[in-house]
Amino acid sequence: MTSEVVENEFEFYSKAEKYWKDVPATVDGMLGGYGHISSIDINSSRKFLQRFLRDGPNRTGTTRALDCGAGIGRITKRLLLPLFKTVDMVDVTEDFLTKAKSYLGEEGRRVRNYFCCGLQDFSPEPNSYDVIWIQWVIGHLTDNHLSDFLKRCRTGLRPNGIVVIKDNMAQEGVIMDDVDSSVCRDLDVVRKIIRRAGLHLLAEERQENFPDEIYHVYTFAMR
């Protein structure tokens, strides 16, 4: 659990904020030098998401999505704006959100809100989102803050809405990364936190065709 590897919570968050302030506001910067995997990532995410957007009695709507840890809007631009009428973005780094306004181009007019905030302090507006997408950012939250944030996400969902987490998974336990001040959890730990937040897992999938040297990446859908 993060309580075993995060010695000072304030330092954990402030170090991460400082790290991201120095990262270039580019796709390559967002992906830690792995910008070339962006299309593989987006294509897999689109296939995963579309299974919930298909026709049916419990179909997830396409009115509004929230991009959490949005950075410059890589996911907003290529995954969410093509599928949803409007999108909101939240990120702790103001420079990234400023860059997003030019990076998103014309379609960026459909981004309703740019929230500059850490997820530990962010509350999605209740009953507002069809999809809350949380990618490569849960490692910047302690277990308690992640569980509490997911509870707030649950109240932010519209009927048949889903929360999606896509992130790195450790082989075993919880691993601290001192460089960007984040943790990487194993699958069991993440599933426990999801359950603790009162969410029910609908689907889980391992990302294919990523470089061998990086962590395994999994996508979870829940409500």
Side-chain angles (χ1 to χ4, degrees):
M1 308 303 276
T2 54
S3 54
E4 291 162 17
V5 295
V6 177
E7 289 170 15
N8 181 319
E9 197 176 272
F10 175 78
E11 203 175 89
F12 175 67
Y13 285 113
S14 58
K15 255 181 88 175
E17 276 195 52
K18 187 174 181 304
Y19 169 84
W20 285 105
K21 278 195 172 109
D22 293 333
V23 168
T26 62
V27 169
D28 211 41
M30 301 302 97
L31 293 175
Y34 282 88
H36 59 283
I37 68 170
S38 186
S39 289
I40 298 167
D41 168 57
I42 295 289
N43 291 339
S44 298
S45 294
R46 189 181 300 111
K47 275 186 196 152
F48 183 89
L49 188 50
Q50 278 175 329
R51 74 177 84 168
F52 298 97
L53 307 181
R54 290 191 190 112
D55 290 337
N58 299 314
R59 187 178 83 86
T60 298
T62 55
T63 302
R64 197 164 155 214
L66 174 66
D67 185 357
C68 299
I72 63 168
R74 181 184 72 90
I75 290 161
T76 290
K77 181 177 179 127
R78 297 195 52 199
L79 176 69
L80 301 177
L81 281 172
L83 295 171
F84 296 88
K85 289 191 181 76
T86 63
V87 178
D88 287 349
M89 293 169 60
V90 55
D91 197 274
V92 76
T93 307
E94 199 166 348
D95 285 353
F96 294 165
L97 295 175
T98 302
K99 171 69 176 179
K101 289 167 187 171
S102 58
Y103 171 74
L104 294 170
E106 278 295 293
E107 292 299 298
R109 286 177 306 179
R110 293 190 289 113
V111 174
R112 229 181 53 140
N113 294 296
Y114 295 87
F115 299 109
C116 188
C117 188
L119 297 184
Q120 69 275 18
D121 300 315
F122 183 73
S123 295
E125 195 183 322
N127 194 34
S128 290
Y129 298 104
D130 297 297
V131 170
I132 297 178
W133 193 273
I134 310 165
Q135 183 161 346
W136 280 323
V137 69
I138 65 168
H140 285 302
L141 297 174
T142 63
D143 291 351
N144 287 340
H145 281 155
L146 177 54
S147 175
D148 289 346
F149 176 60
L150 289 175
K151 284 175 191 167
R152 297 194 298 274
C153 285
R154 206 176 75 204
T155 66
L157 292 179
R158 299 179 66 201
N160 297 321
I162 58 169
V163 176
V164 178
I165 288 174
K166 186 169 187 178
D167 221 301
N168 302 335
M169 297 294 137
Q171 290 289 84
E172 192 179 345
V174 179
I175 299 164
M176 182 77 189
D177 184 338
D178 281 323
V179 177
D180 67 355
S181 192
S182 69
V183 294
C184 187
R185 303 168 173 92
D186 71 24
L187 281 165
D188 283 343
V189 173
V190 173
R191 289 187 197 116
K192 271 182 198 148
I193 292 169
I194 288 167
R195 282 198 299 273
R196 201 169 109 198
L199 287 159
H200 171 65
L201 257 183
L202 304 171
E204 180 185 306
E205 182 176 283
R206 183 176 159 191
Q207 172 70 49
E208 294 178 348
N209 302 317
F210 269 9
D212 292 337
E213 72 271 15
I214 66 173
Y215 283 115
H216 293 169
V217 171
Y218 277 79
T219 312
F220 307 86
M222 62 208 92
R223 67 163 64 103

